[in-house]
């Protein structure tokens, strides 16, 4: 902005003027052939002039600038290879400036001014190259000679209603007046009444023909009209479709060439990607196998964990039982009580044994006594008793 302020407020307008003159020179050189070759649209009046009011695409503008500059250099008589989209921008700009110096044109600005694809320096470079191309083709511009303008007389058109009134007046003149062509015809009717009568009669004089939609002539006429419209639309659409087909073909060729270039440049990366994909597939297979083993082991671990929980629960129950002293106390009490009962039973058994012994002794003494008594009685009887 500081540079533009030093040059003055008219610098921006000068750049626009240079761009407009450049466009006229390009039209004279028939640069549309170049645009058709690269399937590009015609540039506007302020295409290469940088402006905040214009939407710009620096990449597209730079490519357009290089293509037009190369075409102008060839048109000026010097061979110049047409740049490609993937070429180095610095190298392209350096080659263009070298050709510009070869024409004897002074270059007093850095090459970076042309890399933006727009601006004053871009317009000046293209304008100088266009001048050299015009010299090569012996094309020159002359000042326009404008002829003097003559005022034409204006034609006054009469109103349709007045024409109708005039015609009606001529038709309604009395017959006896027509027999006197050499005399001046004069009307005896009041003009106001005449106009009222004409206004009243005109609506009745209009003939309206009502068309029947069922009439075959109407349908035939409509078919002819539709046919003419379709043919016109087909002709217009065919031109658009042909151009679109050509654009698509050129785009496909560009895409194919770019695809080949990318494939050549990225072939080693593609091979690395394929090997990485193969390794990834192998790793996935191993992972699936390992996942299956892990699943089986997880199931076994779950079963073992369940059994371990049961054993822990049983151990806890047994531990709680062993740590509880109440059953031991009950057992001791039961043993003490059992011992007491055993002592009482032993005493009762002793008493019973003593009683039984006395009964046996008594029975034995009775048996002995009975035996003695029997032995004594037998001898007293004798053998003859």
């Amino acid at each position: 902005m500081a540079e533009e302020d030093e040059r003055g407020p008219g610098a921006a307008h000068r750049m626009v003027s240079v761009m407009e003159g450049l466009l006229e020179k390009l039209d004279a050189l028939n640069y549309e052939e170049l645009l058709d070759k690269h399937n590009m649209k015609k540039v506007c009046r302020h295409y290469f002039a940088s402006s905040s009011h214009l939407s710009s695409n620096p990449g597209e503008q730079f490519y357009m600038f290089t293509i037009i500059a190369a075409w102008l250099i060839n048109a000026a008589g010097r061979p110049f290879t047409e740049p490609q989209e993937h070429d180095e921008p610095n190298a392209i700009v350096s080659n263009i400036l070298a050709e510009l110096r070869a024409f004897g044109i002074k270059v007093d600005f850095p090459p970076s001014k042309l890399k933006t694809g727009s601006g004053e320096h871009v317009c000046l470079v293209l304008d100088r190259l266009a001048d050299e191309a015009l010299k090569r083709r012996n094309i020159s511009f002359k000042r326009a000679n404008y002829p003097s303008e003559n005022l034409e007389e204006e034609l006054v058109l009469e109103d349709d209603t007045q024409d109708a009134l005039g015609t009606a007046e001529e038709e309604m003149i009395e017959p006896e007046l027509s027999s006197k062509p050499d005399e001046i015809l004069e009307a005896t009717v009041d003009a106001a009444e005449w106009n009222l009568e004409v206004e009243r009669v005109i609506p009745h004089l209009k003939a309206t023909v009502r068309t029947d939609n069922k009439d075959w002539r109407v349908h035939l006429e409509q078919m002819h009209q539709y046919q003419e419209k379709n043919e016109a639309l087909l002709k217009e659409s065919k031109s658009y479709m042909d151009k679109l087909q050509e654009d698509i073909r050129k785009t496909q060729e560009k895409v194919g060439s770019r695809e080949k270039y990318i494939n050549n440049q990225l072939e080693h990366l593609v091979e690395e990607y394929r090997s990485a994909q193969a390794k990834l597939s192998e790793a996935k297979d191993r992972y699936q196998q390992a996942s299956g083993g892990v699943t089986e082991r997880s199931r076994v671990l779950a079963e073992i964990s369940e059994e371990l929980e049961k054993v822990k629960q049983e151990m806890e129950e047994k531990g709680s039982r062993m740590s509880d002293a109440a059953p031991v106390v009950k057992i001791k009490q039961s043993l003490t009580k059992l011992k007491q009962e055993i002592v009482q039973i032993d005493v009762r058994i002793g008493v019973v044994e003593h009683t039984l012994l006395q009964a046996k002794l008594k029975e034995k003494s009775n048996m002995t006594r009975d035996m003695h008594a029997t032995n004594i009685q037998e001898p007293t009887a004798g053998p003859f008793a």
Side-chain angles (χ1 to χ4, degrees):
M1 296 299 293
E3 185 179 356
E4 293 182 0
D5 294 339
E6 292 176 358
R7 291 181 297 174
H13 299 285
R14 177 174 175 270
M15 179 174 55
V16 174
S17 177
V18 171
M19 178 61 202
E20 292 179 352
L22 170 63
L23 192 59
E24 294 179 357
K25 296 175 183 179
L26 292 176
D27 289 334
L29 292 169
N30 194 15
Y31 83 113
E32 293 182 358
E33 297 177 355
L34 175 67
L35 300 180
D36 294 338
K37 178 182 176 182
H38 293 276
N39 192 20
M40 294 180 177
K41 296 181 179 180
K42 192 174 182 179
V43 298
C44 61
R45 295 175 58 191
H46 306 147
Y47 183 76
F48 291 111
S50 60
S51 175
S52 59
H53 302 289
L54 296 175
S55 59
S56 60
N57 185 352
E60 179 184 350
Q61 287 179 329
F62 179 75
Y63 181 68
M64 180 71 77
F65 160 67
T66 56
I67 290 296
I68 296 177
W71 180 73
L72 290 174
I73 293 171
N74 288 307
R78 294 186 60 84
F80 191 84
T81 304
E82 187 177 276
Q84 304 295 328
E85 293 184 6
H86 53 79
D87 291 344
E88 180 64 26
N90 294 324
I92 298 174
V93 172
S94 300
N95 295 334
I96 293 174
L97 293 180
E99 295 294 334
L100 201 64
R101 294 188 184 95
F103 287 117
I105 301 172
K106 185 179 179 181
V107 179
D108 56 354
F109 55 88
S112 60
K113 295 289 186 180
L114 302 180
K115 292 176 65 176
T116 57
S118 62
E120 180 182 4
H121 299 88
V122 172
C123 296
L124 290 175
V125 168
L126 292 177
D127 187 65
R128 297 295 178 84
L129 292 176
D131 291 338
E132 296 297 329
L134 291 173
K135 291 179 182 178
R136 177 74 178 181
R137 297 187 180 183
N138 295 325
I139 300 175
S140 60
F141 292 94
K142 297 181 179 179
R143 184 179 297 276
N145 185 15
Y146 298 99
S148 59
E149 297 181 356
N150 296 324
L151 297 176
E152 297 180 357
E153 297 181 356
E154 297 181 357
L155 299 177
V156 180
L157 300 178
E158 296 181 355
D159 188 60
D160 294 340
T161 306
Q162 296 296 330
D163 292 340
L165 291 175
T167 304
E169 289 176 355
E170 292 177 359
E171 292 178 353
M172 298 179 65
I173 295 176
E174 296 180 357
E176 64 271 11
L177 293 179
S178 61
S179 62
K180 299 177 181 180
D182 296 333
E183 297 179 1
I184 299 174
L185 302 179
E186 295 182 359
T188 59
V189 183
D190 187 10
E193 295 180 357
W194 181 268
N195 290 331
L196 290 175
E197 183 66 19
V198 169
E199 291 179 359
R200 185 184 66 81
V201 174
I202 281 178
H204 299 284
L205 298 177
K206 292 182 179 179
T208 58
V209 179
R210 296 182 180 180
T211 58
D212 189 6
N213 293 329
K214 296 182 180 180
D215 190 2
W216 63 271
R217 297 180 183 84
V218 176
H219 294 291
L220 182 61
E221 183 66 22
Q222 290 179 352
M223 290 173 63
H224 287 302
Q225 293 177 0
Y226 293 152
Q227 183 179 4
E228 293 176 357
K229 291 181 180 179
N230 290 333
E231 290 176 354
L233 293 175
L234 178 61
K235 185 177 180 181
E236 183 180 0
S237 301
K238 190 175 183 300
S239 62
Y240 291 148
M241 295 300 292
D242 292 339
K243 186 176 181 181
L244 180 61
Q245 182 181 4
E246 185 66 19
D247 295 344
I248 293 173
R249 185 186 63 79
K250 293 180 180 179
T251 304
Q252 287 179 346
E253 291 178 357
K254 289 183 180 179
V255 171
S257 61
R258 183 58 59 84
E259 184 179 1
K260 291 179 181 178
Y261 172 76
I262 292 174
N263 290 335
N264 293 331
Q265 294 292 327
L266 304 179
E267 185 175 0
H268 65 285
L269 296 177
V270 173
E271 293 295 332
E272 292 179 1
Y273 175 74
R274 289 175 181 173
S275 61
Q277 285 289 104
K279 291 180 181 179
L280 178 61
S281 299
E282 294 178 358
K284 285 183 178 180
D285 294 337
R286 291 196 300 269
Y287 172 75
Q288 290 179 357
Q289 295 176 0
S291 298
V294 169
T295 304
E296 182 65 22
R297 289 180 177 83
S298 299
R299 186 183 62 80
V300 175
L301 178 62
E303 294 178 356
I304 294 173
S305 299
E306 186 177 357
E307 293 179 358
L308 181 60
E309 290 294 331
K310 290 181 180 179
V311 172
K312 285 183 179 180
Q313 187 176 1
E314 291 178 358
M315 289 179 63
E316 289 178 358
E317 291 178 357
K318 289 182 180 180
S320 61
R321 290 177 184 177
M322 292 177 64
S323 61
D324 191 5
V328 178
V329 174
K330 289 181 180 180
I331 291 171
K332 289 182 178 180
Q333 292 177 355
S334 299
L335 290 175
T336 304
K337 186 176 180 180
L338 184 59
K339 287 179 180 180
Q340 293 176 356
E341 291 179 355
I342 290 171
V343 171
Q344 292 178 359
I345 291 171
D346 289 339
V347 172
R348 290 180 181 180
I349 290 172
V351 173
V352 172
E353 288 180 350
H354 181 69
T355 303
L356 181 61
L357 180 60
Q358 287 180 354
K360 286 182 177 180
L361 292 175
K362 186 176 180 180
E363 183 179 0
K364 187 176 180 181
S365 63
N366 291 332
M367 288 177 63
T368 304
R369 188 178 62 246
D370 291 336
M371 287 177 61
H372 286 297
T374 304
N375 292 331
I376 294 173
Q377 290 178 3
E378 288 180 357
T380 57
F384 301 105

